[in-house]
Amino acid sequence: MTPPFHFYTQAHLVCLLGTKAKNAAELTEGIRKIPESSIYYHTHHFLRQHNYLSPEPTNDFAYWVSNLLGRRELGEALASVDIIRFKTLEELRAEFIKKLEKYNGRKGPVCEVPEGHEFHFMSCVTVVTPTNYQATNIPEFLEAMKNISVNSLYYHIFEARMRLANGANDFAIWLKNIGLEKPARLISQFDPYTITLEGLRERIIEIVGKYA
Amino acid sequence: MPEIKEYVDIVGQSVIDELYIFARHLQGKTIQNINSTPVGGGVAEILTRMVPLLRQLEIDARWDVIKGNERFFSITKSMHNALHGAAENISADDLEYFTQVNRENAAEINFVGDIVFVHDPQPIILIERKQELGKKWIWRCHIDFTEPDPNVMSFLKNYIEQYDAAVFSAPSFSRKLAIPQVLISPSIDPLSDKNRELTDHEIETVLNRFNLDRSRPIVTQISRFDYLKDPVGVIQVFKLIKRYADCQLVLAGGGATDDPEGAKVLEEVNAAAADDPDIHVIFLPPSSDIEINALQRASAVVMQKSLKEGFGLTVAEALWKGRPVIASAVGGIPLQITHKYSGILTYSIEGTAYYLKQLLNDPEYAEKLGANGREHIRNNFLITRHIRDYLMLFISLYHDEDMIYLG
């Protein structure tokens, strides 16, 4: 008996931590102290907020450093952090700190933003609930994939892999469990951070559609 | 009032389906909104639309308004200005009177809500009933809190920290507080009379009524007559560019029952505009939504030259209509406009004049800004996103964890 795939959806409540940074050193200290949910928020929220833009904007740390602090080289280093390589948020936090510390160790004047342009640390509360969609076979899976919201897609791809530390996205895990190793592998191979959510939907349907 | 399903054509079926899915988890809860004015200004406008829509999602949403006299609203206006950083003289007597009026209201209001949702500083002291009544209490700050007067802030902080959560419209408004703080941007309703599509005939009728010439570009600022909206600054901008562009300026807006300063500002604006027949100062009564809609749609450029801004919903309104917008980089406006991508952000009268001249001379570029702006509003600042955020906020009050699983 094939275990059914239950589609969930999620929504975020954005929380303000009341702390801010005006230079790279304060950003580093902030990243060191903020909760994991804040690391997650600043490296993922752009995926949902700008899901119609491609290429998508980068993570918040890189955006602020490049566009407000005006440190393009550091901004590029932070933008190039390859989020898909990291399995946990703590590993991701350590990578950002490593890049920032390398920059902070250099000699030269300290660059600061004027008042009003500081980096504001935020986090998020995620509320998850089941949808009416479930699949016991590939045709049902494909039908649901066409109709679920981008929030549901986001949950099973991003929340599952990074925040719930499942190691892979939920779709790949389910496909593997029902014996479809190849599409499972193909889906877990592509980098979802470089594709819009609608692009992801199309690609998953295309891959799984071959096994309908 | 539209049915919630009518929003499907604008935001998609799945967005509306999910509102119902999340709202199910709040059935049986009463949400009681309390503010200080039933009409005028952004808060009343949002509540007018939000409360009926929440009810359609089968949430028992209600709305009460506190009572106050001229002295009370004069004090709250001074507090409002002081929170925006202006130098105001608020005496200990004033604060005592403010407290007394709040307590009178607190004694009169029937607190039926499971969640009491208090909007802005005017009714903030109602929180004194929390200890006796229990319930969940939220304080929603709709104003620019970037540089608040420390004395007024210190007075309010004692009350803010008694709430279960505080809600702000922009990240820069957050402070070090002992309670959770949440970011929820306000929104516009695309189906309201202020934002729905209009026919050419409807637009023409409004322009004729106000003696505007559609053959020449119209530059518009829609906002209450309030110093913080800098209407006289807008006239200065217009005078700087007038020699290069044959255009008209419209300054249109109304007042709010909790803003006693409006008449004085209007007088100053009329005086500044007196020598130029191309400057049209239009005082609009509260029920002027179609007029505002038509003026925005007929504009070549919409301005919002505020000195301070809680959020600046008029920016979202104009962007939703695909109009190019030049606005000050204050409050929540930078959340709505990415400079040179979905509008123009400025910092001075001269800078605003420079960009206004550019947009009037390059309508193709101006149209592109407007089109990008419309998509940004569709994705982030429509009332359906606002409802979802409120549902998340209400649900989160009953949970401590940052991943909440609902059955």
Side-chain angles (χ1 to χ4, degrees), chain A residues 12-132:
Chain A
H12 283 157
L13 178 67
V14 181
C15 303
L16 299 159
L17 300 182
T19 52
K20 55 190 178 184
K22 60 178 181 299
N23 55 42
E26 288 183 6
L27 182 68
T28 317
E29 276 320 292
I31 291 176
R32 222 186 282 282
K33 290 178 188 158
I34 53 179
E36 275 191 1
S37 61
S38 181
I39 299 284
Y40 178 78
Y41 175 77
H42 288 300
T43 53
H44 286 75
H45 86 93
F46 60 92
L47 295 164
R48 290 179 58 249
Q49 198 165 358
H50 297 284
N51 66 59
Y52 60 100
L53 278 184
S54 186
E56 287 155 342
T58 177
N59 67 70
D60 288 350
F61 306 130
Y63 180 85
W64 180 78
V65 165
S66 291
N67 296 295
L68 290 148
L69 192 62
R71 302 287 89 186
R72 304 257 167 187
E73 197 185 332
L74 175 62
E76 189 178 282
L78 297 176
S80 67
V81 170
D82 191 9
I83 301 175
I84 191 77
R85 276 200 306 116
F86 298 90
K87 288 205 164 56
T88 69
L89 290 163
E90 284 310 323
E91 287 174 25
L92 190 57
R93 183 203 305 267
E95 182 68 9
F96 280 111
I97 291 172
K98 192 172 100 189
K99 299 232 181 215
L100 279 157
E101 278 180 340
K102 190 172 163 198
Y103 171 84
N104 293 338
R106 290 179 183 182
K107 285 183 182 162
V110 174
C111 193
E112 292 195 343
V113 291
E115 212 176 311
H117 292 77
E118 298 92 342
F119 184 90
H120 292 270
F121 290 100
M122 295 181 240
S123 67
C124 61
V125 169
T126 303
V127 181
V128 181
T129 190
T131 68
N132 297 327

Side-chain angles (χ1 to χ4, degrees), chain A residues 118-167:
Chain A
E118 298 92 342
F119 184 90
H120 292 270
F121 290 100
M122 295 181 240
S123 67
C124 61
V125 169
T126 303
V127 181
V128 181
T129 190
T131 68
N132 297 327
Y133 294 103
Q134 67 167 14
T136 54
N137 54 43
I138 293 299
E140 284 175 11
F141 179 83
L142 288 169
E143 188 55 30
M145 278 302 294
K146 285 177 199 158
N147 292 307
I148 57 169
S149 69
V150 288
N151 299 319
S152 177
L153 199 61
Y154 176 91
Y155 173 77
H156 290 293
I157 295 275
F158 294 97
E159 296 272 358
R161 197 190 73 82
M162 179 63 94
R163 211 158 172 211
L164 307 177
N166 288 351

Side-chain angles (χ1 to χ4, degrees), chain B residues 210-213 216-221 225 231-242 246-252 266 268-283:
Chain B
F210 295 126
N211 296 319
L212 292 163
D213 171 9
R216 292 188 298 145
I218 298 169
V219 178
T220 301
Q221 174 159 304
F225 289 96
V232 174
V234 175
I235 292 176
Q236 287 173 278
V237 169
F238 183 72
K239 287 183 173 172
L240 282 175
I241 63 112
K242 185 76 192 297
D246 181 20
C247 56
Q248 308 153 88
L249 175 65
V250 172
L251 283 164
L266 180 60
E268 288 175 29
V269 172
N270 276 321
D275 58 349
D276 189 339
D278 277 333
I279 303 177
H280 301 258
V281 180
I282 302 169
F283 186 81

Side-chain angles (χ1 to χ4, degrees), chain B residues 108-169:
Chain B
E108 226 175 88
I109 291 172
N110 182 14
F111 289 94
V112 292
D114 297 290
I115 296 172
V116 183
F117 199 174
V118 174
H119 297 263
D120 276 341
Q122 296 93 333
I124 196 168
I125 297 179
L126 299 181
I127 189 66
E128 286 185 337
R129 296 286 307 272
K130 183 184 174 188
Q131 205 164 12
E132 163 206 347
L133 298 172
K135 306 172 180 294
K136 301 287 183 187
W137 293 68
I138 307 167
W139 184 64
R140 170 60 150 134
C141 175
H142 292 268
I143 59 184
D144 187 333
F145 239 45
T146 318
E147 301 165 286
D149 173 277
N151 293 328
V152 176
M153 186 62 213
S154 152
F155 173 78
L156 293 178
K157 196 175 170 190
N158 290 329
Y159 297 105
I160 296 170
E161 292 190 330
Q162 294 178 46
Y163 284 82
D164 292 292
V167 184
F168 295 98
S169 300

